[in-house]
C-alpha cells in the first residue's frame, strides 16, 4: 500500500509555508513532501515545519527548515497592510486576519477620534490594521517581546502610519503611564492571567473592551461569568455587548471574544 503523506496543518505566511506533520511521518518523507509542495506552488519560496506549539509568555513557535530558501523572515500582506517578522522569534497568526478587520471596522464606526490601546500586540497587526482604517484614532501598541517590538516599529514605518506608537514592555508595568483609553483590545496569550485589572486601570466610563479567551464550546458561559466576577472584584460595572467564537483552536476548542462596555 502507498503511504499517504499529509500535513495536519498548513499556514501560509507570505513566501513561507509552515506545515505540521503527524509524528509518524519520518524526516525523509517530510522533506520529500516539502520539495514537491514547492514545485507545485511556485508562489512559495520556503517550507518550514512546526516542531513545537506556541510556548511561554512570548508565545513563540519553533520551526525547522525543510525545503527551499533557508530563511525564517517573511513579508505577509493582509487587510491592505504589510508585516515583516521572524516566524520563530515572534507570534503571528494569519487566522486572526478577519478578527483584525472586524475590530478595525467596529472602531471606525465609532464617532470622533479615539484613543486605542492594543495589549499583547506582537508585530502590531491589530494596531496597524486599526491605525490604517481609523485615521483619526491614536493607537498605543504594547508588547513584551523585544524582537516582536523591533518588527512592530518596522511595520509601522512600512505602512506609513503616524498614529501608531509601539511600546515595548510588560503591559502590567507600562500601561499606567499611557493615560486612559476609549477602546482596549486584548488579544490575550493562552495564559491563566486575565489582565482585566490592568485594563480597568486604564479604562473610563464608556470604554469598550474587546477581550479574547480560550475554551471548549460548552464553557463559554463560564468565561463570561468569570469576566463579570473579576469586573465586580475590581469595582467596575460592565455591560456585555457581544460574545462570539473567533476561530477554532483545537477539537471543540475555540478562541472566544467578549465585547463589553465599562458603565
Ligand atoms: C497571542 S499573541 C498575540 C499577538 C498579536 N496580537 C497578533 O495578533 O499577532 C500574545 C502576545 O502577547 C505577548 N505578551 C505576553 N505577556 C505579555 C505582557 N505581560 N505584556 C505585553 N505583552 C505580552 C506575547 O509576547 C505575544 O506576542
Amino acid at each position: 500500500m502507498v503511504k499517504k503523506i499529509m500535513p495536519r496543518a498548513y499556514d501560509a505566511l507570505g513566501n513561507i509555508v509552515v506545515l505540521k506533520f503527524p509524528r509518524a511521518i519520518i524526516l525523509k518523507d517530510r522533506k520529500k513532501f516539502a520539495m514537491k509542495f514547492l514545485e507545485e506552488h511556485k508562489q512559495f519560496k520556503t517550507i518550514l515545519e512546526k516542531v513545537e506549539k506556541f510556548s511561554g509568555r512570548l508565545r513563540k513557535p519553533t520551526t525547522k527548515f525543510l525545503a527551499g530558501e533557508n530563511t525564517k523572515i517573511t513579508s505577509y500582506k493582509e487587510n491592505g497592510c504589510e508585516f515583516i517578522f521572524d516566524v520563530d522569534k515572534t507570534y503571528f497568526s494569519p487566522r486572526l486576519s478577519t478578527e483584525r478587520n472586524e475590530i478595525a471596522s467596529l472602531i471606525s464606526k465609532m464617532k470622533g477620534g479615539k484613543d486605542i490601546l492594543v495589549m499583547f500586540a506582537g508585530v502590531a497587526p491589530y494596531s496597524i490594521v486599526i491605525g490604517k482604517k481609523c485615521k483619526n484614532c491614536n493607537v498605543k501598541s504594547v508588547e513584551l517581546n523585544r524582537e516582536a517590538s523591533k518588527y512592530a516599529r518596522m511595520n509601522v514605518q512600512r505602512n506609513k502610519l503616524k498614529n501608531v506608537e509601539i511600546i515595548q514592555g510588560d503591559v502590567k508595568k507600562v500601561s499606567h503611564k499611557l493615560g486612559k483609553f476609549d477602546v482596549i483590545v486584548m488579544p490575550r496569550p493562552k495564559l491563566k492571567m486575565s489582565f482585566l485589572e490592568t485594563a480597568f486601570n486604564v479604562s473610563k466610563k464608556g470604554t469598550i473592551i474587546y477581550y479574547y479567551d480560550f475554551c471548549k464550546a460548552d464553557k463559554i458561559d463560564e468565561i463570561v461569568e468569570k469576566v463579570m466576577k473579576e469586573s465586580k472584584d475590581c469595582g467596575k460595572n460592565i455591560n456585555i455587548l457581544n460574545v462570539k467564537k473567533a476561530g477554532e483552536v483545537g477539537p471543540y476548542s475555540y478562541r472566544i471574544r467578549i465585547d463589553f462596555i465599562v458603565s
Side-chain angles (χ1 to χ4, degrees), residues 50-64:
K50 204 170 188 176
V51 285
E52 266 179 50
K53 281 190 177 167
F54 292 109
S55 62
R57 279 210 300 174
L58 305 184
R59 316 311 289 163
K60 293 189 293 185
T62 310
T63 63
K64 211 163 89 181

Side-chain angles (χ1 to χ4, degrees), residues 103-127:
I103 297 278
S105 299
L106 288 169
I107 295 173
S108 70
K109 287 183 193 126
M110 296 174 187
K111 286 206 181 84
K114 299 280 177 218
D115 289 314
I116 319 286
L117 172 64
V118 179
M119 296 182 174
F120 323 109
V123 300
Y126 272 91
S127 316

Side-chain angles (χ1 to χ4, degrees), residues 57-58 91 96 100 120-121 125-126 143-144 169-171 187 189 195:
R57 279 210 300 174
L58 305 184
Y91 175 97
L96 286 169
R100 296 189 267 263
F120 323 109
Y126 272 91
E143 166 59 44
L144 182 63
D170 181 337
V171 72
F195 292 89

Side-chain angles (χ1 to χ4, degrees), residues 109-163:
K109 287 183 193 126
M110 296 174 187
K111 286 206 181 84
K114 299 280 177 218
D115 289 314
I116 319 286
L117 172 64
V118 179
M119 296 182 174
F120 323 109
V123 300
Y126 272 91
S127 316
I128 287 172
V129 173
I130 295 167
K132 184 135 189 172
K133 203 157 188 153
C134 316
K135 287 280 180 332
N136 59 350
C137 289
N138 283 312
V139 184
K140 294 210 163 113
S141 182
V142 179
E143 166 59 44
L144 182 63
N145 179 351
R146 282 177 195 280
E147 199 67 22
S149 300
K150 181 187 91 181
Y151 283 107
R153 286 193 186 95
M154 287 159 70
N155 290 330
V156 169
Q157 283 192 356
R158 221 177 175 81
N159 290 283
K160 300 186 173 56
L161 292 174
K162 298 262 182 256
N163 58 345

Side-chain angles (χ1 to χ4, degrees), residues 11-254:
D11 266 333
L13 300 161
N15 284 337
I16 295 183
V17 173
V18 183
L19 302 174
K20 174 117 179 70
F21 291 95
R23 267 169 209 259
I25 299 180
I26 60 169
L27 182 62
K28 197 177 111 206
D29 287 341
R30 300 200 302 270
K31 286 202 166 197
K32 212 158 106 186
F33 180 94
M35 268 157 3
K36 190 152 182 282
F37 189 95
L38 272 187
E39 266 170 41
E40 288 170 1
H41 302 85
K42 300 278 184 217
Q43 71 272 39
F44 300 120
K45 300 266 181 286
T46 302
I47 307 283
L48 306 176
E49 64 170 331
K50 204 170 188 176
V51 285
E52 266 179 50
K53 281 190 177 167
F54 292 109
S55 62
R57 279 210 300 174
L58 305 184
R59 316 311 289 163
K60 293 189 293 185
T62 310
T63 63
K64 211 163 89 181
F65 171 73
L66 279 185
E69 189 186 320
N70 192 349
T71 179
K72 297 205 173 175
I73 297 173
T74 192
S75 156
Y76 164 87
K77 289 190 182 140
E78 69 158 57
N79 292 310
C81 304
E82 188 184 359
F83 305 101
I84 53 166
F85 55 93
D86 184 313
V87 170
D88 265 3
K89 292 184 180 158
T90 61
Y91 175 97
F92 190 93
S93 175
R95 293 167 199 203
L96 286 169
S97 75
T98 319
E99 271 302 301
R100 296 189 267 263
N101 187 37
E102 190 177 318
I103 297 278
S105 299
L106 288 169
I107 295 173
S108 70
K109 287 183 193 126
M110 296 174 187
K111 286 206 181 84
K114 299 280 177 218
D115 289 314
I116 319 286
L117 172 64
V118 179
M119 296 182 174
F120 323 109
V123 300
Y126 272 91
S127 316
I128 287 172
V129 173
I130 295 167
K132 184 135 189 172
K133 203 157 188 153
C134 316
K135 287 280 180 332
N136 59 350
C137 289
N138 283 312
V139 184
K140 294 210 163 113
S141 182
V142 179
E143 166 59 44
L144 182 63
N145 179 351
R146 282 177 195 280
E147 199 67 22
S149 300
K150 181 187 91 181
Y151 283 107
R153 286 193 186 95
M154 287 159 70
N155 290 330
V156 169
Q157 283 192 356
R158 221 177 175 81
N159 290 283
K160 300 186 173 56
L161 292 174
K162 298 262 182 256
N163 58 345
V164 179
E165 183 187 344
I166 304 299
I167 296 130
Q168 188 274 318
D170 181 337
V171 72
K172 285 201 304 295
K173 296 185 184 153
V174 300
S175 57
H176 68 278
K177 301 175 200 154
L178 305 177
K180 304 273 181 197
F181 293 90
D182 303 299
V183 176
I184 302 173
V185 187
M186 299 179 70
R188 289 174 51 253
K190 203 174 176 184
L191 298 173
K192 220 172 175 183
M193 187 179 286
S194 75
F195 292 89
L196 278 169
E197 193 179 351
T198 305
F200 287 132
N201 287 340
V202 291
S203 70
K204 55 191 178 185
K205 197 170 163 20
T207 297
I208 291 179
I209 300 183
Y210 298 107
Y211 175 90
Y212 288 87
D213 210 329
F214 302 87
C215 66
K216 297 277 180 200
D218 58 349
K219 300 281 183 217
I220 295 176
D221 289 347
E222 282 178 30
I223 302 283
V224 176
E225 275 165 34
K226 188 186 86 179
V227 168
M228 303 278 280
K229 183 182 177 310
E230 280 198 40
S231 311
K232 223 178 193 160
D233 293 347
C234 291
K236 297 283 179 185
N237 285 323
I238 62 165
N239 288 322
I240 304 286
L241 302 173
N242 190 25
V243 180
K244 63 167 275 199
K245 286 181 186 156
E248 226 174 320
V249 292
Y252 311 108
S253 273
Y254 296 89

